[in-house]
Amino acid sequence: MNINDPKVTVLMPAYNAGEYIGEAIKSVLEQSFADFELLIINDGSTDDTEKIIRSFKDPRIVLINQDNKGIASALNAGLYIARADYVARFDADDICYPNRLKVQYDFITSYPQYSIVGSAVDYADADGHYIFTHHPEGHLNEEIQQLKYTICPFIHSSVIYKKEVIINNGGYSEYAYTYEDHFLWVNILKNEKACNLSQSLIKVRLSPQSISIDEKWHTRKFRSIKYSTLKKQSITPSEGNKLYQISGKRYSSRIKEGAYYALCGKKFLLNNFQPQKARLNVARAISLHPFRLDNYLLYTVSYFPEGFIAWLHKSISGSQTKKMQQS
């Protein structure tokens, strides 16, 4: 490989990721496909993130430090620095399976009509223990194009895409706080073909430190602005500032920890029927936030049969989707 002319740029933004970034980097360096650069944008970390990055001596690692400006800013900076025509997104707390880059690079170069290629992913808890496998709502381009704007078609850290397509569409919106990827897709897919591979190619780690929290833990105002901007496919600086004021400053570590345990509990119940593990996580969420009635409901439902729980979840999800589409 020519180190100055890689075939793929693995783009990894990082902010205070010291706890997990070493494992994430290692999973990239051990890829069966070796012709890549690992471009890490250190977004003003105040922990040992930079020290851990520099402990790796692989020449394929490119480290860029910037002041803390948020993930969208870090991604946009990375897009213009990336030397490859294809960019594989990856987060600093996730894990790449060994064939991830090979599978996606071979696919996107063999079928150049596709600009974006995602995959199924395995989800794990903060300790790396498997919770469930997420299969995207759409796999074929036709299925993805028919998805409602309320549904994000890709797990962001699983995608590989053509760099020029993203840049030509303006990159990531720095106003779409916590859903910069979803906002990008609704604006780009009307003109581009995409697909999701059915194979799980990465392990996504859920953790209390994540910038994103479970949708139900966002305020009604946050959700209203989010889905309004997705529907109209535009967002103003004023709307972006409101999102940040609601989410960026409001959500304490205690709220994020409660949201994390509630999400793990829900996934253990709905996606990988293990009611005992579900109750253990939900009980932790209740201890942190004893006045959230939805956690008590989830705990109670965990004692019902699996078939009934699946039916109930489908009914509630359908009703909520209908309400969002009508709003």
Side-chain angles (χ1 to χ4, degrees):
M1 63 169 286
N2 182 350
I3 196 169
N4 295 314
D5 187 26
K7 288 185 169 64
V8 174
T9 293
V10 180
L11 179 54
M12 177 192 290
Y15 175 69
N16 287 351
E19 186 173 359
Y20 303 118
I21 195 170
E23 190 175 2
I25 292 173
K26 188 171 182 289
S27 75
V28 176
L29 298 181
E30 293 178 348
Q31 289 292 294
S32 59
F33 179 93
D35 196 351
F36 65 84
E37 66 172 349
L38 173 54
L39 176 57
I40 305 175
I41 310 297
N42 181 25
D43 187 38
S45 296
T46 57
D47 65 353
D48 58 352
T49 292
E50 182 178 355
K51 180 180 178 181
I52 293 172
I53 296 169
R54 292 190 183 279
S55 70
F56 291 88
K57 305 306 179 183
D58 196 301
R60 294 172 295 180
I61 297 176
V62 179
L63 171 62
I64 303 296
N65 289 310
Q66 69 171 32
D67 293 336
N68 181 235
K69 299 176 182 178
I71 186 172
S73 171
L75 289 170
N76 288 333
L79 284 174
Y80 286 96
I81 296 169
R83 290 177 288 187
D85 293 331
Y86 298 98
V87 171
R89 269 287 290 114
F90 194 52
D91 288 332
D93 52 358
D94 295 340
I95 298 169
C96 270
Y97 291 152
N99 288 330
R100 183 256 170 111
L101 293 182
K102 176 175 173 52
V103 169
Q104 289 187 307
Y105 179 79
D106 286 351
F107 186 94
I108 202 169
T109 53
S110 297
Y111 302 95
Q113 65 267 35
Y114 293 104
S115 298
I116 308 160
V117 178
S119 77
V121 305
D122 294 333
Y123 272 90
D125 64 16
D127 297 321
H129 300 137
Y130 173 81
I131 301 178
F132 75 106
T133 298
H134 170 82
H135 294 283
E137 295 279 351
H139 288 86
L140 302 177
N141 179 63
E142 293 76 11
E143 295 171 337
I144 291 174
Q145 296 293 346
Q146 291 174 9
L147 292 176
K148 301 296 183 182
Y149 68 89
T150 56
I151 300 174
C152 187
F154 308 105
I155 299 301
H156 197 191
S157 57
S158 80
V159 299
I160 188 171
Y161 50 61
K162 295 177 180 177
K163 179 181 67 176
E164 67 174 354
V165 168
I166 307 301
I167 290 177
N168 290 343
N169 280 271
Y172 294 88
S173 170
E174 297 183 23
Y175 302 127
Y177 187 74
T178 74
Y179 63 99
E180 67 286 330
D181 56 324
H182 193 170
F183 189 80
L184 174 65
W185 309 139
V186 298
N187 279 279
I188 204 173
L189 285 173
K190 55 193 172 186
N191 298 316
E192 303 295 336
K193 287 189 174 183
C195 68
N196 276 304
L197 305 179
S198 58
Q199 178 182 352
S200 292
L201 296 176
I202 68 168
K203 181 190 289 185
V204 174
R205 190 192 305 268
L206 301 175
S207 76
Q209 290 77 38
S210 174
I211 189 174
S212 300
I213 65 172
D214 188 16
E215 189 78 359
K216 295 184 183 303
W217 285 66
H218 281 300
T219 65
R220 183 176 299 178
K221 181 63 175 177
F222 184 98
R223 295 195 299 269
S224 174
I225 296 173
K226 174 181 176 179
Y227 289 108
S228 171
T229 58
L230 287 171
K231 186 175 184 179
K232 67 182 182 179
Q233 298 180 6
S234 65
I235 186 169
T236 65
S238 175
E239 289 169 324
N241 184 59
K242 287 179 182 177
L243 290 170
Y244 181 72
Q245 292 296 323
I246 295 169
S247 180
K249 293 186 176 181
R250 178 181 180 275
Y251 296 141
S252 66
S253 58
R254 186 166 175 268
I255 289 177
K256 287 190 172 186
E257 190 175 359
Y260 161 74
Y261 283 120
L263 180 59
C264 287
K266 183 168 67 175
K267 294 305 180 182
F268 271 123
L269 189 63
L270 300 176
N271 300 90
N272 179 9
F273 188 65
Q274 297 190 55
Q276 290 184 332
K277 287 186 177 180
R279 286 192 286 271
L280 178 63
N281 280 278
V282 175
R284 290 173 177 170
I286 290 173
S287 69
L288 289 164
H289 300 277
F291 298 109
R292 282 195 65 101
L293 298 181
D294 53 346
N295 287 331
Y296 293 97
L297 178 60
L298 185 61
Y299 190 93
T300 302
V301 168
S302 71
Y303 285 96
F304 285 85
E306 182 178 5
F308 176 80
I309 294 174
W311 171 83
L312 183 63
H313 174 61
K314 184 177 181 179
S315 300
I316 294 174
S317 298
S319 175
Q320 291 174 339
T321 300
K322 188 175 181 179
K323 286 181 180 179
M324 285 191 292
Q325 293 169 356
Q326 292 174 344
S327 63

